[in-house]
Amino acid sequence: MPSPLRSLCCLLLLLLTLVAGVQAGPGGEALEVQFRAVAVPQNTVPALAQDRDGFIWVATSKGLTRYDGYRLRPIERDGPTSARRNLGWVRALGAGRDGRMWIGTEFMGLMVFDPAQDRVESLGSVRGVAGPHAPIRALAEDGQGTVWVGTLGQGLLRYTPATRRFEAQDLRWQGEPEARVLALRVGRDGTVWAGHWRGLSRLRDGVWEALPGASAPVLALAEDSDGRLWLGTQDGRLGVVEQGRVRWVQQLQAPVQALAEDSAGRLWVGSKVGLLWLNRGSGAIEARLRHDPRRLSGLAGNDISGLLRDASGAMWISGYGLGLQRHQHHPALAVRGPDPAADGGPPAVLAEADVRALLSLRNGEVLAPTQSGRVVRLDGRPGRGLASLGVWPRERASVVESLAEAPDGSLWMAAAGRLEHRSAQGRLLRDWPLDGGRAQRLLLRANGEVWLGMQEGLYRLRGASAPALQRVALAGGAPLHGGIHALIEEKAGSGRLWVGGQQGLFREQGGGLAAVPQAPGETLASPVVMGLLLARDGTLWVDTPVAGLHRLRGWDQQGRARFDRIGERHGSEGVFGGNLHEDARGRIWSQLQVYDPKADRIDSFGAAEGAAFGSFWFFASAELPGGALLFGGSRGLLRVLPEAFEPDPGVLPLVISALRVNGQPHAPERLDGQGLRLPAGTRSFSVEFAGLDYADPGRLRYQYRLQGLDSDWTSVDPGARSPSFGPLWPGRYLLQMRVTAHPTLWGPARLELPIELLPAWWQTLWAQLAAVALLLLAIWAYVRWRTRLLRRREAVLQALVDERTAELREASLTDALTGLRNRRYLELRLQDDLRLCLRRFEASEPGLPGPDSDLVLMLLDLDHFKRVNDAHGHAAGDAVLVTLAERLRQVFRDTDSLVRWGGEELLVLVRETSRADAAELAARVCAAVRDQPFDIGLGQTVAVSVSIGFAAFPLDPRRPRAWDWPATLALADSALYAAKARGRDGYFGIIEAMDLAPAEVPRDLSGWAGDGRVVVRASGA
């Protein structure tokens, strides 16, 4: 852009800025008034009150509720249905000095809630002086406990609780009776004031007199701290009673429905069109507050029906469509939100309050760059309320990320990848390209250098005439990576630079940057550094994102830094705030917390104190003239006045808000003094307690313990403040409870509830001794019975074990396919059979062993069984083997052993038989196999035959031990082969061999045919 054109643009911007500054108005109050809303049914609250214990009572069109900071508890009468229990439209409330709450309804007359009984009592709604039947609009209790009742249609009544009688009052206006009482107030001097449809009256010497000057319906009455009575009327006038007359102070053009004085002496005026703050001395209106949909924490509505200053000094507002709100205010904290846009006027200067960088100029102004690219000028001088002064002239619309003021008044700005050097009037002197992402810190060093901490790395410009920025490396040339979050330069001595960032803490030494060595056990609890501060005494303060605040306490002998982990020591989690500042008393501040080194105490603050300015931003803070601090957030600026901040003493009212016994609501006759007396048989009880901190009850922490049961405190959050106990042994207990709003400190105050659980008859000493005796007897009888039972069970279990063992043993001796015995069975049984047989032959006369003393060993093999498997499959072969086993069981006896010897080969040991019958038995086996085909499934059958070889044992009866079992088995095997050689489907066996040794057996058994020593039996012979 040519230089003349650029100068013209700057001039136009400067003129627009001046115009905007004039429209905003110098010194205008721009700080927000913040409220916290409480969800109320239909957002309709005609009246408010606070009782002696500190509960807030909320009258609604759907009944009455009591608020403890966490929930609205319905206050109802006794009744079978919800409709019968509900109080309907409650229009007036009056807190009694004895803790009772007087309730004025629209349709049900006067009622009272007695906290000792925890119930509502109706005081009558019949006609006449027996009780009000007309709608009740006002209630007040005087010093004698008398309750004044203002009705709409029945006039003014006086109720005496001691006699439970109503007395009508002769309230007149200009000689005529007045039956429409709208407001009541009992002054500190005992004067009773009544605001009615035609004006204002007071009770003097037992006589009601009208006050001159008031001739309109009086809707609201309030007494200020000077003892003066203020009144608001239906026609919008606001007045004060002085010297027995009404002096009108303001004409507001809207009905004044509520009045109250705040703790600062300011009069709050609630009307149908909003809220006003009035200076009581001058009568001037200091502020007009109306509902603005853009302000989330602003006034929720304009039709205000009730105002209340609670015991802590906080102000409450209620209304129609507004619901219930609490004023969030702290003398040291305030939020500067966006400027309101005037209807039809020019756009607001600070239309967008998302400020992520700040600079306090030496002339008292504050530059606040917004995300729209506009740099707004604010008045940062004390008492100016950060009023808008206009827009700082800058022809570019890029967002300014960081900025600083040079000693000559010129400004340095980092914005959208450019470093700009501008004159104090905004003229661009020169700019340079930037690298490394967003600029997070900008530091002007005493030697004229410009240092920039970026999202990636650290850069410096040697001076305003330098051609380009240079990336700063560590000593030794290694690059410094990661985000740079803090840059500070020592003011005295070496002027050394400290750098904090994602890679840790660094210090300039020897012309380069080096990581700060740290002593073991005294290192930073988190390596990332978010903020740095050099205090006036030279102390270095470090903020980390996980472990919070640290203090450099010194160096060890090896030159390593020793840090005091303040945040970790105080149990403070997360970052301390990043933006660190020191006040005149040496306290360390951020936008979240303040640390007092002298008291070694951390205090937090936030929305509860009126510091709701959205999400806070790192790298957005400034110190204002006079010592105030300013912090940037997503929806405004937080201004902190450190000199006005004092730590909260931590004394909170702690009340019991509900009791339950055996899960049901409980209303004890007396809760004070004697405590809670529970009847015998009580299974459990629970106590709900609440710290009456209405600013932010969610931040509270609780502890409780039941002495007599627990010795240690149990810590809970607000969601678990209703512990349940039981079952408990009869006796005396003491429930202790305490609350704090501080993260670590507990005050000395605690709430104690004595509890006595009465014993049942069976819990007395004699009953217990008798029970012990019966228990011992029962134990003895049980032991006897149990012993017998265990023995019976042991016998049953042993039988089951034996049975199972037998089953397992049987399974181990049986072939799984055929159910025949296996080789292992034969090995276990065979030796006994052989010894028995030998004893018979050796004990008898030679050749005469007795009848049926022989053993016959048969080997069976299916003929051409491989053909069955090949032709029909192995499943068919398995079916043949299963059928074969069934047929063999029909031929042989149960005492004989049928063993699957291998594949299709079977061994049969025939016991206690005669060798002479062996051939016949073998023939029967062959016939049983041959005569009937074998079913192999799917409607198919096959014809199968078997070959058998057998031998008798002992083979030589005269020499029983001449042939042992292996020799006999080998002989039977040879006989099997001989049967197959003879054409299969037959048998071949040797039943006797006289004087023949196993070694003399010829290889070909056919050679035995002519040997007289051998008796052979063969099929077909």
Side-chain angles (χ1 to χ4, degrees), residues 575-777:
V575 68
F576 184 77
N579 302 305
L580 302 182
H581 294 272
E582 182 186 21
D583 67 10
R585 293 162 54 180
R587 295 179 297 184
I588 307 303
W589 286 82
S590 74
Q591 68 277 9
L592 301 175
Q593 305 173 81
V594 57
Y595 173 66
D596 187 347
K598 297 178 181 178
D600 190 26
R601 169 173 173 158
I602 294 179
D603 287 281
S604 303
F605 48 85
E609 291 78 18
F613 65 118
S615 299
F616 69 85
W617 303 124
F618 294 113
F619 327 122
S621 65
E623 295 186 16
L624 304 180
L629 305 175
L630 196 61
F631 301 95
S634 61
R635 55 168 302 269
L637 301 169
L638 173 64
R639 188 202 65 184
V640 179
L641 302 177
E643 70 277 4
F645 184 90
E646 294 297 335
D648 189 343
V651 180
L652 289 175
L654 183 60
V655 297
I656 293 176
S657 53
L659 283 171
R660 287 183 176 270
V661 175
N662 295 332
Q664 299 300 318
H666 180 68
E669 294 184 0
R670 288 184 60 83
L671 197 58
D672 298 330
Q674 296 182 359
L676 182 61
R677 190 178 178 90
L678 300 176
T682 299
R683 299 185 304 276
S684 65
F685 73 93
S686 62
V687 179
E688 181 184 279
F689 42 82
L692 300 182
D693 176 16
Y694 298 105
D696 184 9
R699 67 179 176 174
L700 301 183
R701 296 185 304 116
Y702 296 89
Q703 285 186 340
Y704 68 87
R705 64 182 176 187
L706 185 62
Q707 288 191 342
L709 180 66
D710 301 321
S711 58
D712 297 329
W713 290 97
T714 299
S715 298
V716 294
D717 58 22
R721 54 188 175 82
S722 181
S724 181
F725 305 92
L728 297 175
W729 190 253
R732 295 182 181 273
Y733 301 88
L734 181 64
L735 179 60
Q736 295 180 322
M737 300 150 280
R738 61 184 184 180
V739 62
T740 183
H742 194 274
T744 57
L745 300 179
W746 295 91
R750 64 182 62 172
L751 180 64
E752 294 185 341
L753 175 63
I755 299 169
E756 181 181 6
L757 178 57
L758 300 177
W761 65 266
W762 49 270
Q763 292 174 319
T764 61
L765 177 61
W766 291 108
Q768 293 170 12
L769 292 176
V772 170
L774 290 175
L775 178 61
L776 293 175
L777 181 61

Side-chain angles (χ1 to χ4, degrees), residues 199-211:
L200 179 65
S201 299
R202 66 180 174 184
L203 182 63
R204 173 176 288 184
D205 299 328
V207 178
W208 286 97
E209 62 177 24
L211 233 67

Side-chain angles (χ1 to χ4, degrees), residues 284-505:
I285 296 176
E286 296 181 351
R288 295 177 183 266
L289 305 179
R290 289 181 56 83
H291 171 60
D292 184 349
R294 298 176 305 166
R295 298 186 183 272
L296 300 180
S297 59
L299 201 62
N302 294 321
D303 193 349
I304 298 172
S305 61
L307 291 169
L308 170 70
R309 185 174 76 184
D310 67 16
S312 69
M315 298 298 294
W316 293 78
I317 305 174
S318 68
Y320 301 98
L322 179 147
L324 177 63
Q325 289 188 291
R326 181 185 185 274
H327 183 216
Q328 305 290 83
H329 172 71
H330 192 282
L333 307 172
V335 171
R336 168 57 156 102
D339 290 333
D343 297 336
V349 176
L350 186 61
E352 180 186 12
D354 187 354
V355 177
R356 306 191 187 188
L358 286 168
L359 175 63
S360 178
L361 302 178
R362 284 189 289 274
N363 63 2
E365 291 186 11
V366 175
L367 298 185
T370 68
Q371 293 304 294
S372 64
R374 173 180 291 188
V375 180
V376 177
R377 296 168 51 234
L378 303 176
D379 195 339
R381 293 172 294 177
R384 301 302 180 98
L386 297 172
S388 297
L389 298 177
V391 178
W392 194 79
R394 181 171 173 266
E395 73 283 358
R396 293 177 177 174
S398 57
V399 179
V400 176
E401 299 162 349
S402 188
L403 62 170
E405 183 182 21
D408 61 359
S410 63
L411 296 180
W412 291 82
M413 297 181 175
R418 307 292 295 183
L419 175 63
E420 303 175 4
H421 187 204
R422 293 180 177 273
S423 68
Q425 292 74 33
R427 183 170 58 89
L428 180 63
L429 303 177
R430 187 176 178 183
D431 62 353
W432 296 261
L434 292 176
D435 195 8
R438 183 185 187 276
Q440 300 183 143
R441 291 291 187 186
L442 193 157
L443 174 67
L444 302 181
R445 302 195 63 179
N447 60 5
E449 292 183 346
V450 181
W451 286 64
L452 276 168
M454 309 295 290
Q455 287 178 315
E456 171 52 36
L458 179 62
Y459 296 80
R460 69 177 172 184
L461 185 69
R462 293 291 187 181
S465 60
L469 284 88
Q470 300 173 340
R471 181 159 185 169
V472 179
L474 298 174
L480 178 58
H481 289 295
I484 302 301
H485 305 143
L487 294 171
I488 54 173
E489 184 178 23
E490 296 179 358
K491 301 301 181 184
S494 64
R496 192 160 36 195
L497 183 71
W498 292 81
V499 179
Q502 189 173 348
Q503 300 300 321
L505 181 63

Side-chain angles (χ1 to χ4, degrees), residues 47-65:
L48 287 173
Q50 186 176 32
D51 64 16
R52 182 184 61 180
D53 293 329
F55 290 107
I56 299 295
W57 291 72
V58 184
T60 75
S61 60
K62 298 184 65 176
L64 180 63
T65 60

Side-chain angles (χ1 to χ4, degrees), residues 2-132:
S3 180
L5 183 58
R6 178 183 297 176
S7 301
L8 179 60
C9 291
C10 292
L11 179 60
L12 289 175
L13 285 173
L14 181 58
L15 290 175
L16 289 174
T17 300
L18 293 175
V19 171
V22 171
Q23 290 174 344
E29 179 63 48
L31 300 178
E32 284 189 351
V33 179
Q34 297 189 354
F35 299 91
R36 173 177 174 265
V38 178
V40 178
Q42 299 182 348
N43 283 331
T44 299
V45 181
L48 287 173
Q50 186 176 32
D51 64 16
R52 182 184 61 180
D53 293 329
F55 290 107
I56 299 295
W57 291 72
V58 184
T60 75
S61 60
K62 298 184 65 176
L64 180 63
T65 60
R66 190 181 72 180
Y67 185 53
D68 62 2
Y70 298 100
R71 65 183 179 95
L72 292 167
R73 175 197 169 190
I75 302 298
E76 299 178 321
R77 300 178 296 170
D78 294 334
T81 65
S82 59
R84 294 287 298 275
R85 292 191 295 268
N86 192 272
L87 304 184
W89 196 350
V90 178
R91 298 298 298 265
L93 294 171
R97 291 177 175 82
D98 59 358
R100 289 186 291 181
M101 180 61 64
W102 301 97
I103 307 164
T105 68
E106 183 76 6
F107 308 109
M108 301 180 186
L110 181 65
M111 299 184 179
V112 64
F113 175 83
D114 186 354
Q117 303 293 332
D118 195 27
R119 66 184 180 91
V120 174
E121 178 185 2
S122 177
L123 300 178
S125 58
V126 298
R127 295 184 178 275
V129 296

Side-chain angles (χ1 to χ4, degrees), residues 982 987 1018-1021:
R982 290 169 62 86
Y987 58 86
S1019 58

Side-chain angles (χ1 to χ4, degrees), residues 78-221:
D78 294 334
T81 65
S82 59
R84 294 287 298 275
R85 292 191 295 268
N86 192 272
L87 304 184
W89 196 350
V90 178
R91 298 298 298 265
L93 294 171
R97 291 177 175 82
D98 59 358
R100 289 186 291 181
M101 180 61 64
W102 301 97
I103 307 164
T105 68
E106 183 76 6
F107 308 109
M108 301 180 186
L110 181 65
M111 299 184 179
V112 64
F113 175 83
D114 186 354
Q117 303 293 332
D118 195 27
R119 66 184 180 91
V120 174
E121 178 185 2
S122 177
L123 300 178
S125 58
V126 298
R127 295 184 178 275
V129 296
H133 59 83
I136 297 175
R137 286 293 187 270
L139 291 171
E141 184 187 65
D142 61 22
Q144 289 72 42
T146 300
V147 180
W148 297 87
V149 184
T151 71
L152 195 62
Q154 198 177 349
L156 181 63
L157 303 176
R158 182 171 66 180
Y159 175 71
T160 305
T163 61
R164 302 177 63 87
R165 291 181 59 85
F166 287 92
E167 180 183 351
Q169 300 295 297
D170 186 19
L171 186 63
R172 293 179 175 272
W173 182 262
Q174 296 180 356
E176 296 182 4
E178 178 54 56
R180 296 162 295 182
V181 179
L182 306 173
L184 289 170
R185 178 68 59 180
V186 177
R188 287 191 294 273
D189 60 358
T191 302
V192 181
W193 298 86
H196 46 79
W197 191 256
R198 299 193 218 180
L200 179 65
S201 299
R202 66 180 174 184
L203 182 63
R204 173 176 288 184
D205 299 328
V207 178
W208 286 97
E209 62 177 24
L211 233 67
S215 58
V218 175
L219 305 181
L221 294 173

